[in-house]
Amino acid sequence: MASLITTVRNKFLEAIRSVEPPGKWKILVVDEHSQKLLGSVLKQFDILEENVTLIESISNYREPQPEFEALYLLMATTQNVDRIIRDYSSPTPQYAGGHLFFIDGLPEPLFERLTQSPAEPYLKALKDLYVNFAALEAQTFSTQSPEMFFSIYSPPRSENEYRMARERLDESLHFTSKLISNICITLNEFPFIRYYVPPNHPPLGPLKPHASTRPPPPAEGSGRWRTNLARGAEARAYESVESDFVTKLLAFMVQGNLEEYKKQTPDFAKVDPARGRSTLIITDRAMDTMAPLLHEFTYQAMANDLLPIEDGKTYTYKFQSSVGAYEDKTATLSDQDNVWTAVRHMHMREAIDKLMADFNKFLEDNAVFKGDGAANLNDMKEMLAGLPQYQEQREKFSLHLNMAQECMGIFERDKLPLVATVEQNCATGLTAEGKTPKKLVEEMVPLLDSREVINANKVRIVALYIQHREGVPDEDRRRLYQHARLSIPEQDAVNALLYLGVRISRGPSDKDVKKKLKQKPNDDDYELSRYQPLLKTVIQEHVENKLDPTLFPYVKDSPSAVPPPTLRTTVTPTTSLRSAKPSWHRPARPGAATESSKQRVFVFVAGGMTYSEMREVYNLSTSLNKDIYIGSTHTITPRQFIDDMKSLELAGVGSRVMPNGLPEFKGPRPYQQFYDEKYFTKDGPRPQPRPNPSLAPPKKDRGRPQPSPTESYASSNSYTPSMKEDKKKKKGLFRF
């Protein structure tokens, strides 16, 4: 399987390697945003190894280096294009030449501005990389837009704000569709696209049908026509508002983006008969509102729920040194940690067993301990303190030992066995014995009354119970809040389920909602892990060709309607600065692993994905023999979800993501203007003139770049040594 992290990493490396100036050395110019993407997949040393001697920020003042060529790795903003032009507009150019690599596709007007500017003679090449997305894991990506949760689901505050809220959402969806398209382009896939059509509620948030956002009604008499086509565009547009779900809008935008790219790049995504064409499934958080509330007991999901892990990857813990002292240590949970990747999707009990088994094998293989191996987590803790000579592996085991112990401590302290039993009964509608839960209230109320159960868990229980009952009478809901002693914001979090299409209030005449997507029984042995995210059912039924086409229609083509791929070759258009093949299109190295030929499935969850959904994608990739990738606007934990729900009605005001709420929308604007504002960076100050020293300045070494007198991504002492010098010295010269 093609790892997203490896794929993006290779794209960056190939871009850097393609620049081969006569003098060997080159300068890398980045902006604040492109630097973050680069730093997420490449270490500093990886860049240094590619004859990059100086890393500069395009927003800072830079000393001219006209003897050397530069590689620009930038966001495709008007501001950055103007900065590139400025670099070559003075009598002394900033660099001998520029090789331009844009993170996103550079729009044609900005391309023309470059080619008609004084910089044009200095430009050696230009390429769009389409890597503007965060590759979180091998099969997981994010657009890193947590504010989208509020843009999608928050109701406009007044009748007059519907149009403004709709236009703001359209703008955000346009941006999101570009990032989803980047994934497809990066992996050279033009997928079939399916989208979720909720059967039990109309469009939500700003997409709710409203007079101010609905096109004018058709003329009288147009409804007498039998066919939709004969009724005219006005009638169809008027009625389409009823089905303008966020998933549909996003799906059609992605389809349009990929069709446009295909016109510009005829060789894009030619179907490999061995693999077949991929499929992109677009759904949203409202499809499954159970999953983000449940306690999960697989390692990654449980740890992110219970421990203070930042952004799903940074964790600070107490580390015992070889002398027995404890110190704070910050660890990164990433795909580079082989212990983490081996256990993250296991049930906590299995993860602990594997940690101990691997630790005992580590002791045995290294012959550092005589006697019996570790029998429990405390044994591991004592032995780890005595292994200073195996620092790296010792730290990994120590990290996961600490995390496992902390999780199990909270599991007992917060009465999670009892809490999770009620949660599972509510979510699945069945007891562990497979029967309808008849004593749910009797089991739930003592937990709501207990002061040993934290309020955050009570919110989760109440929210799950209301969904299990498909709404409760208002008086019953008030009593539940009273039993649980929920604060007003906590009550708001439960009530906000209404804005995700959930019925929370139920009258005597209300009937049960017929569900088209049903929970499949899990063959798991663990009673507290019976619920499976609905996304698992969707993917399974899609692969088995059983997914209801009215629930997940195709945007355009469907597999049965597509003609077989043609063997006719496509003529390559005339080369230019933009379309020329860079020199880094080289044959594969001998012994390189061949790319997987498994069919691919992409899943995108607008409004946040859970760690349980991420886990299922990995498991299904194995069981279904497919390459499955999952992405979202952001990753959520139950704590984050409840926090966002508290302020959903207020458009995010008071939330951790955006304390001031959604920004004021000033009206429709061109997409490039939105993009320029999103990736705007301030220019750094010019350096103050310094008094001339009495000593004469040394002669310039024309073999290497000279340091800039201002801060850049290099340190102030950025004069570069030979590549053969000690690596430790080089490590101090550059920093991100």
Side-chain angles (χ1 to χ4, degrees), residues 603-661:
V603 181
F604 187 82
V605 185
M609 62 183 169
T610 66
Y611 285 97
S612 59
E613 289 165 338
M614 291 163 58
R615 175 195 69 223
E616 292 305 327
V617 160
Y618 283 86
N619 293 340
L620 289 171
S621 295
T622 302
S623 62
L624 299 176
N625 197 32
K626 304 286 183 184
D627 286 351
I628 308 176
Y629 300 87
I630 184 171
S632 181
T633 48
H634 59 303
T635 307
I636 55 171
T637 64
R639 277 180 299 169
Q640 292 166 331
F641 182 66
I642 292 171
D643 182 66
D644 289 346
M645 293 290 281
K646 289 176 182 177
S647 53
L648 184 59
E649 189 175 9
L650 302 176
V653 173
S655 67
R656 295 177 189 174
V657 171
M658 44 195 326
N660 297 323

Side-chain angles (χ1 to χ4, degrees), residues 15 18-21 26-29 62 65-74 84-85 87-88 93-102 114 118-127 577:
S18 71
V19 180
E20 298 177 345
K26 55 201 170 194
I27 297 172
L28 176 61
V29 182
R62 291 158 286 137
Q65 304 274 10
E67 301 94 343
F68 303 96
E69 294 183 8
L71 184 159
Y72 292 83
L73 186 64
L74 305 170
I84 293 168
I85 294 172
D87 279 353
Y88 301 98
Q94 187 74 33
Y95 310 108
H99 303 256
L100 310 184
F101 294 88
F102 289 100
L114 276 171
E120 196 275 337
Y122 296 93
L123 303 182
K124 307 288 186 180
L126 186 152
K127 186 170 179 63
L577 171 65

Side-chain angles (χ1 to χ4, degrees), residues 271-525:
V271 179
D272 179 359
R275 169 180 281 157
R277 191 170 167 186
S278 61
T279 301
L280 166 63
I281 300 172
I282 296 180
T283 181
D284 75 319
R285 186 65 273 148
M287 184 184 80
D288 185 355
T289 48
M290 297 278 197
L293 292 167
L294 287 164
H295 280 92
E296 289 284 341
F297 299 109
T298 48
Y299 187 38
Q300 182 185 33
M302 186 178 184
N304 276 279
D305 183 3
L306 303 183
L307 304 181
I309 299 175
E310 296 179 20
D311 300 324
K313 61 182 181 180
T314 306
Y315 177 63
T316 302
Y317 67 105
K318 293 289 184 183
F319 176 74
Q320 188 175 11
S321 66
S322 57
V323 296
Y326 283 91
E327 56 188 52
D328 285 338
K329 191 168 185 65
T330 300
T332 301
L333 303 169
S334 72
D335 281 25
Q336 293 180 339
D337 182 347
N338 59 333
V339 177
W340 170 247
T341 55
V343 300
R344 65 184 171 192
H345 298 139
M346 291 182 176
H347 189 277
M348 181 58 82
R349 180 67 264 168
E350 296 171 356
I352 290 173
D353 289 345
K354 180 166 175 58
L355 280 173
M356 289 196 294
D358 289 350
F359 178 67
N360 287 328
K361 187 175 186 302
F362 168 71
L363 295 178
E364 183 181 334
D365 291 347
N366 292 282
V368 294
F369 182 79
K370 293 182 180 180
D372 296 332
N376 53 48
L377 294 179
N378 286 328
D379 286 352
M380 280 183 66
K381 193 170 187 177
E382 292 175 7
M383 294 177 190
L384 281 168
L387 301 175
Q389 65 270 48
Y390 299 95
Q391 184 71 12
E392 182 179 354
Q393 200 66 15
R394 175 172 171 261
E395 288 182 5
K396 287 180 182 178
F397 279 122
S398 181
L399 163 67
H400 296 293
L401 159 68
N402 182 283
M403 289 174 60
Q405 278 191 318
E406 287 291 316
C407 285
M408 295 312 295
I410 295 171
F411 180 76
E412 297 296 337
R413 184 195 72 197
D414 289 353
K415 295 187 175 297
L416 293 191
L418 296 174
V419 171
T421 298
V422 173
E423 290 178 353
Q424 290 294 319
N425 292 348
C426 289
T428 63
L430 297 170
T431 64
E433 293 76 28
K435 299 178 181 178
T436 302
K438 296 180 180 179
K439 297 183 179 180
L440 200 49
V441 174
E442 290 89 333
E443 294 170 350
M444 178 177 64
V445 170
L447 293 174
L448 298 182
D449 286 334
S450 173
R451 295 188 180 275
E452 294 180 350
V453 178
I454 61 174
N455 270 28
N457 289 342
K458 293 178 182 180
V459 171
R460 293 159 77 165
I461 292 173
V462 172
L464 288 165
Y465 176 73
I466 289 173
Q467 292 183 73
H468 165 67
R469 294 291 307 274
E470 296 180 4
V472 296
D474 292 344
E475 179 60 23
D476 287 359
R477 193 167 76 254
R478 187 190 65 77
R479 288 175 181 171
L480 288 173
Y481 294 160
Q482 193 173 16
H483 274 292
R485 294 182 294 278
L486 298 186
S487 65
I488 296 299
E490 288 165 345
Q491 295 177 34
D492 290 342
V494 179
N495 294 337
L497 287 170
L498 177 70
Y499 302 123
L500 271 66
V502 176
R503 186 171 70 186
I504 63 170
S505 184
R506 184 165 184 161
S509 60
D510 289 334
K511 297 180 180 179
D512 288 346
V513 178
K514 188 176 180 181
K515 297 179 181 178
K516 288 191 175 183
L517 270 179
K518 295 182 180 178
Q519 169 72 198
K520 287 189 175 180
N522 183 22
D523 55 2
D524 202 310
D525 294 332

Side-chain angles (χ1 to χ4, degrees), residues 238-297:
Y238 180 77
E239 293 171 1
S240 69
V241 176
E242 304 290 341
S243 62
D244 273 353
F245 296 99
V246 66
T247 50
K248 178 182 177 181
L249 298 181
L250 196 51
F252 276 81
M253 288 178 183
V254 174
Q255 179 79 28
N257 294 341
L258 294 177
E259 286 177 351
E260 185 64 29
Y261 182 77
K262 180 71 173 175
K263 287 179 186 176
Q264 300 171 1
T265 317
D267 287 340
F268 166 60
K270 288 188 175 180
V271 179
D272 179 359
R275 169 180 281 157
R277 191 170 167 186
S278 61
T279 301
L280 166 63
I281 300 172
I282 296 180
T283 181
D284 75 319
R285 186 65 273 148
M287 184 184 80
D288 185 355
T289 48
M290 297 278 197
L293 292 167
L294 287 164
H295 280 92
E296 289 284 341
F297 299 109

